[in-house]
Amino acid sequence: MSKPRKQIILGAYLGGVNHHTVWSDPAAGSQIAFSSFQHLARTAERGRFDFFFLAEGLILRERLGLIFDQDIVGRPDTLPVLAALAAVTEHLGLIGTINATFNEPYELARQLASLDHLSGGRAGWNVVTSFGAFTGQNFRRGGFLHRDDRYVRAGEFLATARKLWDSWPADAVVADRSSGRFVRDDSVGAFSQHGEQFDISGRFNVPRSPQGRPVVLQAGVSPQGRDFAAGSADAIFSPYRHLPEAREFYQDIQARALRQGRPAGSVRLLPSASFVLGDTEAEAVERHREITRTQVSGRTAQILLETVWNRDLSGYDPDGPLPDVDPDPDAPLVIQGRARLAQDPHETVANWRALAEANNYSLRELAIHVFSRTEFIGTPAQVAERIDSFVQNDGSDGFILGSHLTPTGLDEFVDKVVPLLQERGSLRAEYTGTTLRDNLGLPTPNTPASAAA
């Protein structure tokens, strides 16, 4: 029996917290104006994408104490943007990155449940953590969280948020005009959480939302992160862009989810990806070369490698060999406000040196290679075939697509690649559901029974 064809999940993200966005391009639009967010969201919905995604930055990044502007500097808060987009879209999921370290369960659960109501069931939360005092200095709690405790707090945070969402049965609101009774019984919203991270109790004041619970995304590569994601998330970011390692990660996550008592296939895996199209493959390859060299200038290449070397590399020629010094992970951080990219900098640098020697890479060429995302380069037909093949062979369940150009970069993908994926039977021609869970093929969580029942 042949394997059923998988439906490709597609997300669209508006860049702005990493070097991939080329804000200096003459065709680039605003990173702040609502028109940019609206254009991308409506384009994604026109292409029958599953969701719109926003990353998050809680502090301005610094290099040796000074703000660096190779990346976008500043962007509006996530939740107001998503709430505004709910009013100008009908089917597109709305997923925001919100930090579990510096927020509180009651407040965030209330905000996300409200977004789910306002959007008709299209809200999602990408759970991230932070442990650094540099980011923490912006918040009342400060950098209090030990690195090893970040998943402990995130796990209890998520469990508490779900307890709050489940405190209202689906049939709690009766609004009976004849009797004057608004809720079915007096137990609605009651919750209590007494744990290591949170000691709260009271009544949650937002009725159960259309999805029951917003969709939860998470990223985790370490064993601890994989277990947390496999046990708690509806979808997981995959960092792997080559099919053998991507398939291995896919199988590992699904196996971990089964061991934690979840049904088979209950977790979706989604790498981020970019694309470059051309009328011929050669044209696409040349466009890609031009784009990547714009994204990774010589100065940007130095900064990207500084995140691992933790040394000032400004004196090294970007078009020359890799630095001949070892990393210095114990020194004060050169780059502040960016997640550490290597658990073992010495091992990472050794691997990079071997890669550079084998391919005759310069410093800049290595940075382009190791910091690129999954990239689909070719004619529209070639890109459609490669995306479909990756998904059908269980490298992932789909992709979260971005472009170097804000906000119009996705337009040509929707115009040229989406119709080909639809012809292949791998992408919906029309939306068939109303919620983000419907889009992703995820079940609605079990509805708590009412106290009366």
Side-chain angles (χ1 to χ4, degrees), residues 162 166 208 210-215 234 437 442-448:
R162 284 174 168 162
D166 289 348
R208 193 165 181 84
Q211 293 187 109
R213 302 171 184 171
V215 169
D234 298 304
R437 288 185 177 276
L442 296 170
T444 299
N446 291 332
T447 303

Side-chain angles (χ1 to χ4, degrees), residues 34 40 51 54 75 89 184 343 355 371 374:
F34 179 66
L40 181 61
F51 60 86
L54 278 182
R75 191 166 69 178
T89 55
R184 187 172 298 279
Q343 297 295 322
L355 183 65
F371 288 97
T374 302

Side-chain angles (χ1 to χ4, degrees), residues 131-144:
F131 58 88
F134 180 73
T135 302
Q137 67 186 331
N138 276 355
F139 297 88
R140 176 174 59 86
R141 288 182 175 273
F144 74 101

Side-chain angles (χ1 to χ4, degrees), residues 38-49:
Q38 178 177 256
H39 179 94
L40 181 61
R42 284 180 165 173
T43 300
E45 191 162 70
R46 178 166 61 85
R48 303 301 185 261
F49 276 48

Side-chain angles (χ1 to χ4, degrees), residues 71-84:
D71 295 358
I72 299 296
V73 176
R75 191 166 69 178
D77 184 70
T78 297
L79 285 170
V81 172
L82 297 182

Side-chain angles (χ1 to χ4, degrees), residues 435-451:
T435 70
L436 177 54
R437 288 185 177 276
D438 292 336
N439 288 354
L440 300 178
L442 296 170
T444 299
N446 291 332
T447 303
S450 68

